[in-house]
Amino acid sequence: MTAQNQNARQHMVFAIVVGEHSGDTLGAGLITSLQKKHPNAKFIGIGGPKMQALGFESLFAMDELSVMGLVEVLGRIRRLLHVRKTLTDYFTSNKPAVFIGIDAPDFNIGLELKLKAQGIKTVHYVSPSVWAWREKRIFKIAKATDMVLALLPFEKAFYDKHNVPCTFVGHPLADDIPMQSDKALARTKLGLAQDKKILALMPGSRGGELSRLLGDFFASAKQLQAQDSDLVFVAPMISEQRVEQFNALKAELAPDLAVKVILNQTQTVMAASDCLLTASGTVTLEAALIKRPMVICYKFSPVTFYLARWLVKLEWFSLPNLLANKSLVPELLQKQVCPDNIVPLIKERLYHDQSQLNNSYQSIHLQLKCDASEQAAKAVLAVLSTKP
């Protein structure tokens, strides 16, 4: 390789777009691994605080893309289209070595389709749930991407069946979270009692999730506290904005309920807890890797739920159950999310032995522990080395 070519590779530009905090974590891990091989590379697009701390240049705030649900997206469609067109024009004029869309499939797949048509190589990191619903999207994905990076092993099997390039890289959370999480140490770090039962209230990272779930979470917590006055409640929050929303809803719905709100220490809170009452999402995988019992709840807006129920083909919606391929942890959806269902499920997990559950969690952890960020970086660079 000539010095000129080496210099060009050292200064290559990686375009990355993420839409939420879990994507920011994946992006930060990928950037760290790519920087080991290309220390002078430039990273630009849309990213969160973890990516920006590594020198990433974000053209828009990541929260612009943090919208979930069919109805919710429609309310922001004009702004989302403006952001996507701006990025399309920018990357078409300033061509990166590769574009990497991390999650946010409804936004990123369309962007990848336009950029690939302009001769830009594209990678999609985190498979959309094509195996769950809207299966025909796989043909658009095949047209839009040069490679899909899958976090879960059953996803690669689906892509292989359709002859779409896909690499299973494992999940960075399985690399980062220790095989055994020390409950006593986590409680010491957070200043929590060692001799009390602790329940974590985890209503999600989006404003809509909090507004839909917290009423039932607070009502359940009040019933549980009435039956066990020593029970401690903690609530990890990912931002000051969510803390304010949580506190406002608590003041309205459960002003006398004592809850310790903890900012930006979600994994430590989970490790300190005996059980979790949580929204669905990536956090349920974190909980399985930390190996804590949980009850998983989710509520869509009514119209989104009406549409989704006809499209989704899955027996389960949570990652622990999908990975175990069985009903490992309880799931409550829509009208099932109520204290009458939540309270007995939480009591069973707070006060009865859960050691058998840990064996299944251990299997999931080993399955996903693959040095994911390094594998993802290798796959991205392999795409760069292929001919157009």
Side-chain angles (χ1 to χ4, degrees), residues 189-325:
K189 287 181 178 178
L190 298 174
L192 296 171
Q194 298 287 349
D195 58 345
K196 307 275 187 176
K197 290 288 186 182
I198 296 178
L199 175 65
L201 304 178
M202 304 174 59
S205 60
R206 300 179 181 89
E209 291 174 327
L210 267 70
S211 63
R212 286 189 287 270
L213 289 174
L214 271 178
D216 291 292
F217 280 21
F218 286 143
S220 300
K222 286 193 288 187
Q223 287 190 25
L224 288 161
Q225 189 177 59
Q227 297 172 41
D228 180 358
S229 60
D230 288 333
L231 182 60
V232 174
F233 299 98
V234 293
M237 293 288 129
I238 61 154
S239 68
E240 293 286 1
Q241 185 179 11
R242 293 288 81 83
V243 170
E244 290 176 11
Q245 183 184 7
F246 182 94
N247 287 336
L249 286 167
K250 195 182 88 65
E252 176 188 347
L253 301 171
D256 297 327
L257 184 71
V259 183
K260 182 170 183 176
V261 179
I262 300 170
L263 183 63
N264 290 329
Q265 297 188 74
T266 300
Q267 288 185 11
T268 307
V269 171
M270 287 193 281
S273 300
D274 294 290
C275 185
L276 319 172
L277 177 56
T278 180
S280 186
T282 304
V283 71
T284 64
L285 177 60
E286 290 182 85
L289 296 171
I290 291 170
K291 301 171 184 66
R292 295 295 180 265
M294 69 188 97
V295 175
I296 301 172
C297 301
Y298 209 78
K299 281 187 176 182
F300 295 95
S301 70
V303 176
T304 297
F305 178 69
Y306 177 80
L307 295 172
R309 65 189 294 195
W310 299 109
L311 297 171
V312 177
K313 302 178 295 183
L314 294 177
E315 189 171 354
W316 306 287
F317 63 82
S318 70
L319 286 172
N321 290 343
L322 289 167
L323 284 162
N325 196 31

Side-chain angles (χ1 to χ4, degrees), residues 128 152 323 356:
L152 311 173
L323 284 162
Q356 189 173 351

Side-chain angles (χ1 to χ4, degrees), residues 44-73:
I44 187 170
I46 298 180
K50 293 180 182 178
M51 293 167 64
Q52 291 176 46
L54 296 170
F56 183 88
E57 181 182 347
S58 195
L59 302 174
F60 291 92
M62 183 181 68
D63 289 347
E64 294 268 21
L65 308 187
S66 297
V67 187
M68 189 173 184
L70 302 174
V71 176
E72 293 82 354
V73 169

Side-chain angles (χ1 to χ4, degrees), residues 110-158:
L111 179 55
E112 290 157 11
L113 192 65
K114 292 177 183 294
L115 296 179
K116 190 177 179 185
Q118 296 296 321
I120 298 169
K121 291 186 175 182
T122 60
V123 173
H124 193 80
Y125 190 3
V126 184
S127 168
S129 302
V130 286
W131 35 268
W133 71 309
R134 292 165 60 196
E135 187 172 320
K136 291 184 178 179
R137 286 181 296 168
I138 195 162
F139 302 113
K140 184 177 181 181
I141 293 167
K143 189 175 179 182
T145 64
D146 293 290
M147 178 63 67
V148 175
L149 306 182
L151 304 183
L152 311 173
F154 61 79
E155 294 174 325
K156 177 167 170 54
F158 180 85

Side-chain angles (χ1 to χ4, degrees), residues 171-192:
H171 205 298
L173 285 171
D175 301 318
D176 297 339
I177 294 172
M179 294 300 293
Q180 301 297 329
S181 294
D182 191 323
K183 183 182 292 184
L185 179 61
R187 291 188 176 193
T188 298
K189 287 181 178 178
L190 298 174
L192 296 171

